[in-house]
Amino acid sequence: FHAERCRVTAVTECGGYSFVVKEHVSCERRFGYQSFKTIDDLKKSYRHLFEHQMGDAIPEGLSGVIYTQMSDIEEETNGLMTYTV
């Protein structure tokens, strides 16, 4: 990680972990930067992402993080939110 001293530094896209919730998908296509079979593995990966990968960069100058896959569930399976079909 490399931050510039005089600029705000942000990770402008992170997340996109795929976890298929049975009966909560509207398409057959599966996509995510990483896929998980259990909710526990998904939770561990989110914790690692924010506590270590992003959190460890704060003292180095990281100012912000944008989680870009909040509700991407129509054509992909990597959103944080879901619904019952």
Side-chain angles (χ1 to χ4, degrees):
F1 182 81
H2 176 72
E4 292 185 31
R5 252 182 115 91
C6 300
R7 295 178 146 191
V8 171
T9 301
V11 174
T12 58
E13 180 171 339
C14 74
Y17 292 168
S18 178
F19 179 73
V20 176
V21 178
K22 214 173 175 185
E23 298 181 19
H24 286 241
V25 292
S26 62
C27 65
E28 294 299 317
R29 182 176 175 202
R30 307 285 191 254
F31 177 81
Y33 298 119
Q34 291 183 358
S35 296
F36 299 92
K37 294 188 185 287
T38 70
I39 193 73
D40 287 335
D41 288 342
L42 177 66
K43 288 177 184 179
K44 287 177 193 173
S45 291
Y46 276 123
R47 182 175 300 278
H48 180 76
L49 173 67
F50 290 109
E51 287 183 359
H52 298 288
Q53 292 178 281
M54 300 301 138
D56 290 350
I58 292 171
E60 303 297 321
L62 180 65
S63 300
V65 174
I66 298 170
Y67 188 87
T68 57
Q69 305 293 350
M70 283 298 279
S71 61
D72 198 351
I73 59 174
E74 291 293 332
E75 293 185 19
E76 300 177 1
T77 54
N78 58 2
L80 281 179
M81 300 176 186
T82 186
Y83 57 75
T84 304
V85 177

